[in-house]
Amino acid sequence: MPIELYWDNDEQTVMLCEFPKKWSWNEMYAMLEKVKQVTDRADREIAAILDLRQGVSIPGGLFSPSTFDHAKKMLKMGEGGSGDVVVVGAGAIIRTIYNAVRNIDPNAVSSVHFADSLEQARAILRERHHVYAPTPV
């Protein structure tokens, strides 16, 4: 099952990225490239919700020698991005990585927030002054 990417609001200012439990690095890069194409063309800030509630299994494992290289490449792809990112359902490993990065470079993760549900993520974005009226399902 691929990583899914949708607009989460009618105003097209919030993207929802749903991760399946198992994904590949190629799927991750394809999704990041789509996000980059949209944000590079946008005339406004685009926020994102990363839905990890199905759990996340890092391809090759967290301590695989290639994982660090993939992480660096992903961060490089995200340079210049300024929108808020809300992570839903982050487990202990994700939060530990976040805290480690925050201790080293607080600015690198200053726009990252955590939520327990999609509703809470949307509330965080509303508080951060994003126009947000979710499309009914």
Side-chain angles (χ1 to χ4, degrees), residues 25 29 64-75:
W25 288 113
Y29 294 133
S64 164
S66 66
T67 298
F68 183 69
D69 292 333
H70 287 297
K72 286 193 308 189
K73 184 175 178 180
M74 286 174 15
L75 289 172

Side-chain angles (χ1 to χ4, degrees), residues 3-29:
I3 299 170
E4 299 287 343
L5 186 64
Y6 311 95
W7 285 113
D8 196 51
N9 63 351
D10 291 336
E11 295 79 13
Q12 295 188 344
T13 60
V14 179
M15 298 180 97
L16 172 60
C17 181
E18 296 177 331
F19 282 77
K21 183 167 181 78
K22 294 191 184 246
W23 48 272
S24 71
W25 288 113
N26 286 340
E27 290 170 336
M28 171 67 81
Y29 294 133

